[in-house]
Amino acid sequence: MQITAPSRREAIAGAIGAVALAGALVEVRAGETSREAGTGGGRLEMVVPAAAGGGFDTVARQTQYALQQNGLASGVEVLNLPGGGGTVGLNHTAQQSGRGDVLMVMGSSILGGIEITGSRTTLADVTPLARLAEDYIVVAVRQDSPLRTLEDLAAAWTGAPRDLVVGGGAIGTSDHLLAALMLDGLGVSPSELNYIVYSGDGEVLTSLLSHTSDIAVSSYNGFQSQIEAGEVRALAVSAAEPLPGVDVPTLREAGMDLDLANWRGLAAPGGLDEDQREVLLDLTHALVGTPEWQEAVERFGWREAFVAGEDFDAFLTEETARLEQIIEGLGLS
């Protein structure tokens, strides 16, 4: 059945984010449970606080596809706004106060970006909705690199940390924090980290293959194709446990007592009324129950970690405190 998209004025005035949305209920089953989602099939703006091609962008594109395929939204416009460790996109979202037709992809990198940049815009200015899944970071080198194992990397890093150029995401992101934590775990000051910031996995990969960077720390799914093609050698992933179907050791398996989950979630602007918030919460439940989203979780090596509403708020309080402690302990704030 073809869905005719309403105009933007209609969408903003009476579709997503309006009580009228609750009149069109869609039931989506996830396992043995089901939940009614009052989405109304309106249009959405999806803010990605990072460049195209990275982990946040992948989550946005998969969300876009799942929502549209299941009639949960008639259209999803993805807006990439990189910069400031995610705070540029965060600030844009905060400025859309009261709009129930806007979603923003968020995650641990946003929390780190807020802390390190001293952003005046914080999570208090938006409406966190749900954690969707956990993504993981790969530590990778070129196939022709003399670094064959994580042990080789540890020896080289300890001996001459400034000689190894590390490419990754913005300062404060999980990429950056993982590299700093690894160096710190080797007894080397994180201030010795020779780190170059890139916008998105694509740029990180290019820097590695062009010999601009010696080591890459970035989303595993962003490097998966090159790893499988033999162009890139994955030394380890940041997961706490081995990833199903992924033939790469965890950091712990490779000899380093460290793991770091790069979770992905959704937020909306602040200033929403209770009906708007409930509609969007229902939408997140509907999203994770779609076969398209479930397939994406498996294909990209994510781990399902859905939590929403007040439970997500509690998680964010703990996660913020944890990341603040890490950043302060590394001397990065």
Side-chain angles (χ1 to χ4, degrees):
M1 179 178 68
Q2 184 175 4
I3 301 174
T4 302
S7 69
R8 184 171 179 81
R9 177 175 296 179
E10 290 170 335
I12 295 174
I16 296 291
V19 180
L21 284 172
L25 298 178
V26 180
E27 186 177 83
V28 178
R29 295 193 175 277
E32 297 299 320
T33 65
S34 65
R35 179 175 178 122
E36 289 185 333
T39 65
R43 297 188 66 82
L44 285 169
E45 177 183 289
M46 178 77 65
V47 179
V48 181
F56 276 174
D57 186 65
T58 300
V59 170
R61 304 292 171 174
Q62 297 306 310
T63 298
Q64 177 189 46
Y65 180 68
L67 293 179
Q68 293 180 165
Q69 284 294 108
N70 290 275
L72 300 173
S74 60
V76 180
E77 178 185 358
V78 176
L79 177 64
N80 292 88
L81 294 173
T87 59
V88 172
L90 176 68
N91 186 59
H92 169 83
T93 303
Q95 291 175 357
Q96 313 308 309
S97 181
R99 285 184 57 181
D101 65 336
V102 175
L103 291 174
M104 180 189 75
V105 181
M106 64 177 300
S108 51
S109 295
I110 287 281
L111 304 185
I114 291 171
E115 178 67 17
I116 287 182
T117 65
S119 172
R120 295 177 62 181
T121 305
T122 69
L123 294 187
D125 300 302
V126 297
T127 304
L129 295 171
R131 182 185 68 193
L132 302 176
E134 289 180 345
D135 193 4
Y136 300 101
I137 305 159
V138 67
V139 181
V141 295
R142 290 181 304 278
Q143 187 61 35
D144 62 358
S145 170
L147 305 175
R148 310 292 300 181
T149 66
L150 194 67
E151 186 177 3
D152 292 340
L153 171 58
W157 235 352
T158 303
R162 299 293 300 176
D163 288 350
L164 291 176
V165 179
V166 182
I171 299 298
T173 62
S174 297
D175 302 347
H176 176 231
L177 293 183
L178 181 68
L181 284 168
M182 290 175 67
L183 205 55
D184 185 63
L186 295 172
V188 181
S189 171
S191 64
E192 293 297 305
L193 180 64
N194 189 356
Y195 189 84
I196 298 180
V197 171
Y198 293 98
S199 296
D201 296 341
E203 289 190 8
V204 178
L205 178 62
T206 298
S207 78
L208 184 67
L209 296 178
S210 66
H211 293 245
T212 303
S213 298
D214 302 301
I215 307 162
V217 283
S218 198
S219 169
Y220 172 78
N221 68 69
F223 279 62
Q224 185 175 3
S225 296
Q226 284 71 30
I227 292 169
E228 293 175 350
E231 298 176 16
V232 170
R233 182 185 306 115
L235 302 183
V237 291
S238 67
E241 299 177 353
L243 298 178
V246 176
D247 187 23
V248 179
T250 66
L251 285 167
R252 295 188 189 280
E253 288 177 322
M256 186 168 287
D257 188 21
L258 175 65
D259 63 79
L260 186 67
N262 191 13
W263 56 269
R264 313 295 191 181
L266 293 174
L272 303 184
D273 61 37
E274 190 59 30
D275 288 323
Q276 289 175 307
R277 182 173 181 272
E278 286 301 315
V279 164
L280 292 178
L281 280 172
D282 284 344
L283 185 63
T284 66
H285 281 83
L287 166 67
V288 298
T290 63
E292 290 79 8
W293 178 260
Q294 294 293 317
E295 191 275 333
V297 169
E298 181 177 355
R299 175 157 45 98
F300 292 108
W302 300 335
R303 187 182 76 85
E304 290 188 84
F306 184 76
V307 62
E310 293 181 0
D311 290 339
F312 184 43
D313 293 338
F315 165 78
L316 285 177
T317 298
E318 294 179 3
E319 182 73 348
T320 299
R322 184 180 75 89
L323 288 175
E324 286 177 352
Q325 185 176 17
I326 290 174
I327 290 169
E328 183 177 348
L330 293 173
L332 300 175
S333 59

